[in-house]
């Protein structure tokens, strides 16, 4: 078994390099992006769209619809089925060149040609700094498990600077029941809800809204969603 439950999380010296090596072995497909669980795609898209609608209906300061950023985008599954449904333009951030090539030449080709998919940044989130005040929503889904705690705090602080007025960082991640579950195969860590929320607090982010993903297959992690705003 590659998963190990730990009370504390200490990344290996090759934490990011090992994750990069793993994702280079993954096919550039929906099934590949979802770890062989393509059945998750439809309920995931449905609940993500509901979450955005909930944010827009419940916040006193309305979130804009001009520009979103898809962090850890892979081939652009979330961009195509969620973000482009809600925002005029989307940028992608993905360290795997192969995934971005598939996005540009195949999966999002029409959207790139029409100008709705704009920049594609080939970098890990630990090295990404969004342009100041650019995005209405920065969407981070099933990717923050690849960041160390300190790098996630630093990344979220940089995201705060990259938000347009009333902008939000949206996080959607697997949740552990206790401690840290470290996956040695793909070099990722699954955190508890409490650990995530401590990290958000340390990054000076406040929780505007939260929800839980429904209708996942038996045996899957619980998946939580948060909308965050700079304090």
């Amino acid at each position: 078994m590659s998963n190990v439950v730990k009370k504390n999380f200490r990344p290996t010296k090759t934490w990011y390099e090992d994750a990069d090596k793993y994702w280079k072995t993954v096919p550039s497909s929906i099934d590949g992006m979802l770890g062989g669980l393509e059945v998750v795609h439809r309920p995931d898209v449905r609940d993500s769209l509901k979450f955005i609608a909930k944010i827009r209906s419940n916040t006193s300061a309305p979130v804009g619809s001009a520009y979103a950023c898809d962090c850890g985008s892979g081939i652009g599954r979330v961009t195509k089925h969620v973000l482009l449904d809600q925002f005029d333009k989307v940028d992608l951030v993905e360290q795997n060149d192969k995934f971005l090539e598939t996005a540009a030449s195949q999966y999002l080709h029409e959207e790139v040609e029409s100008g709705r998919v704009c920049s594609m940044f080939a970098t890990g989130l630990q090295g990404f700094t969004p342009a100041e005040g650019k995005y209405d929503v920065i969407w981070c889904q099933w990717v923050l498990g690849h960041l160390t705690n300190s790098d996630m705090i630093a990344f979220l602080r940089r995201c705060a600077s990259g938000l347009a007025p009333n902008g939000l960082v949206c996080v959607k991640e697997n949740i552990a029941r206790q401690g840290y579950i470290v996956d040695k195969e793909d070099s990722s860590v699954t955190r508890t809800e409490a650990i995530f929320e401590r990290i958000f607090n340390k990054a000076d982010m406040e929780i505007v809204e939260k929800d839980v993903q429904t209708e996942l297959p038996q045996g899957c992690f619980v998946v939580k969603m948060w909308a965050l705003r700079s304090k």
Side-chain angles (χ1 to χ4, degrees):
M1 243 222 32
S2 63
N3 290 355
V4 180
V5 180
K6 295 186 176 183
K7 185 176 181 180
N8 298 301
F9 167 51
R10 294 183 179 85
T12 63
K13 291 181 179 179
T14 56
W15 181 256
Y16 292 119
E17 292 84 354
D18 291 344
D20 186 43
K21 288 178 183 177
Y22 168 80
W23 284 103
K24 284 179 178 175
T25 70
V26 173
S28 301
S29 64
I30 295 290
D31 200 51
M33 299 303 96
L34 292 172
L37 290 172
E38 190 169 351
V39 66
V40 168
H41 173 69
R42 287 183 181 275
D44 168 61
V45 168
R46 179 199 62 217
D47 282 9
S48 292
L49 290 170
K50 285 182 179 179
F51 188 62
I52 295 173
K54 187 177 181 181
I55 290 167
R56 287 187 164 146
S57 66
N58 290 354
T59 53
S60 56
V63 177
S65 59
Y67 221 135
C69 183
D70 184 358
C71 291
S73 65
I75 64 172
R77 182 188 70 88
V78 172
T79 288
K80 189 177 189 75
H81 297 282
V82 178
L83 299 179
L84 285 173
D85 184 79
Q86 298 290 314
F87 301 92
D88 297 334
K89 294 182 178 181
V90 181
D91 287 345
L92 277 63
V93 184
E94 169 57 53
Q95 71 173 1
N96 189 306
D97 290 333
K98 177 181 69 173
F99 295 161
L100 290 182
E101 288 169 8
T102 298
S105 64
Q106 300 175 43
Y107 195 69
L108 293 174
H109 179 69
E110 290 183 10
E111 293 85 350
V112 170
E113 289 295 304
S114 69
R116 295 196 66 203
V117 169
C118 302
S119 298
M120 295 188 181
F121 301 100
T123 182
L125 300 189
Q126 69 275 15
F128 177 64
T129 299
E132 188 170 351
K134 184 174 185 180
Y135 299 112
D136 296 296
V137 161
I138 297 176
W139 189 275
C140 308
Q141 179 170 347
W142 290 325
V143 65
L144 297 184
H146 287 297
L147 292 182
T148 65
N149 288 352
S150 59
D151 280 345
M152 196 198 306
I153 292 167
F155 168 70
L156 290 172
R157 287 175 174 167
R158 295 195 301 273
C159 284
S161 298
L163 293 174
N166 302 326
L168 297 171
V169 176
C170 291
V171 172
K172 187 169 186 177
E173 293 289 343
N174 292 344
I175 300 298
R177 290 184 178 180
Q178 60 180 354
Y180 297 89
I181 301 176
V182 178
D183 188 328
K184 295 181 179 180
E185 182 182 11
D186 68 1
S187 196
S188 70
V189 59
T190 304
R191 301 168 169 93
T192 64
E193 183 175 1
I195 289 171
F196 266 114
E197 293 185 359
R198 285 201 297 270
I199 289 173
F200 299 157
N201 187 55
K202 288 181 179 178
D204 298 318
M205 304 293 282
E206 64 177 349
I207 299 169
V208 174
E209 190 61 77
K210 60 194 294 187
D211 212 336
V212 62
Q213 174 68 42
T214 62
E215 295 184 30
L216 292 175
Q218 188 174 5
C220 286
F221 284 110
V222 171
V223 174
K224 291 288 180 73
M225 294 173 273
W226 293 270
L228 310 173
R229 180 169 285 150
S230 184
K231 291 181 179 178

